[in-house]
Amino acid sequence: MKLPIDSKGAETGSSPATVIIVDDDAAIRASLDSLFRSVGLSTRLFGSPAELLAGAMPAGPGCIVLDVRLPGVSGLDLQGQLARQGLDFPIIFMTGHGDIPMSVRAMKAGAIDFLAKPFRDQDILDAVTAALERDVQRRSIATAKGQLLAEYAALTAREREVMGHVTSGLMNKQVAGLMGLSEITVKIHRGNVMRKMNVKSLADLVRKAEALGLSRKGGGEDQT
């Protein structure tokens, strides 16, 4: 089942990050809720994996504080379900019965931390801070990559070909010969590529080509 995304949690400069708390102990949920809200964080509380899966996930930055032993689906199993759905919120596990194999499995699957109950308030706050910083960074990278893909998608097939040649180090005259075009036409296509890819220099265009995974072959130094 695909979890809905709550547009009210969309990331803005003023909206707080969200800590999702999943624990079957109401007292622990309430205690963590109070702690996180005291430092300006928004929270969402769930008593079981089923409640979480039936709810809406925040669209903005967040993390999940998850009890490893829950009724029905375990915290570790829920971690796997969320990963399969592409929900990459960083997870901090809590447990009163933790052991080394369990913590290793959780960390290998991408958990940020594995805290044994009872833990100090500062320990969970430090873990949540690290998790939220990671989620903000992940979202920033994803946004930049999405913008880059959108820029590349706006190029015509011929412009993409020109981009591939010039970022491999070929001169305009060489590109013209390879493509059967005039040098002036290549310069026009190159100008369109620079504008659509939102770059001012060949070096910037090369960096974007590398980020896109375009192969770079050796060639002559380009000249305009």
Side-chain angles (χ1 to χ4, degrees):
M1 176 178 61
K2 186 69 172 178
L3 295 185
I5 297 294
D6 186 354
S7 60
K8 294 181 180 179
E11 182 177 0
T12 66
S14 59
S15 62
T18 301
V19 182
I20 301 164
I21 303 166
V22 187
D23 197 302
D24 60 337
D25 188 321
I28 291 178
R29 292 199 304 273
S31 176
L32 291 174
D33 178 49
S34 176
L35 175 64
F36 296 142
R37 287 184 179 276
S38 74
V39 295
L41 296 172
S42 177
T43 60
R44 297 193 184 187
L45 312 182
F46 301 96
S48 69
E51 288 183 18
L52 175 65
L53 293 170
M57 300 293 280
C63 68
I64 301 174
V65 176
L66 176 61
D67 190 8
V68 75
R69 295 186 183 273
L70 293 165
V73 178
S74 74
L76 292 173
D77 290 336
L78 178 60
Q79 180 187 28
Q81 287 188 29
L82 294 173
R84 286 190 293 274
Q85 293 189 21
L87 295 169
D88 298 324
F89 288 99
I91 295 176
I92 300 158
F93 277 105
M94 309 175 292
T95 181
H97 312 279
D99 55 33
I100 292 176
M102 184 182 295
S103 62
V104 169
R105 176 184 168 191
M107 300 300 281
K108 281 186 174 181
I112 293 292
D113 213 335
F114 198 95
L115 301 178
K117 299 175 184 177
F119 43 75
R120 298 184 308 131
D121 287 353
Q122 193 59 52
D123 289 338
I124 189 69
L125 287 174
D126 288 346
V128 163
T129 297
L132 292 175
E133 288 175 350
R134 178 178 293 190
D135 197 47
V136 168
Q137 183 181 40
R138 175 185 66 82
R139 289 169 181 272
S140 177
I141 292 171
T143 298
K145 186 61 180 289
Q147 177 63 33
L148 179 60
L149 291 172
E151 291 170 350
Y152 189 66
L155 301 181
T156 65
R158 180 147 287 182
E159 288 166 352
R160 292 182 188 183
E161 188 177 358
V162 168
M163 177 177 171
H165 288 315
V166 298
T167 57
S168 74
L170 297 182
M171 295 183 294
N172 289 335
K173 184 181 294 186
Q174 292 173 305
V175 175
L178 283 172
M179 296 181 65
L181 302 173
S182 70
E183 191 172 349
I184 291 296
T185 299
V186 169
K187 287 184 177 181
I188 292 172
H189 285 312
R190 176 172 169 163
N192 290 337
V193 169
M194 300 288 282
R195 175 177 53 82
K196 291 181 180 180
M197 294 300 295
N198 195 30
V199 295
K200 300 296 185 181
S201 69
L202 177 59
D204 289 339
L205 187 63
V206 168
R207 280 190 285 271
K208 288 198 171 185
E210 290 174 345
L212 286 164
L214 304 181
S215 61
R216 186 180 182 190
K217 301 177 183 178
E221 185 176 343
D222 195 15
Q223 301 174 358
T224 56

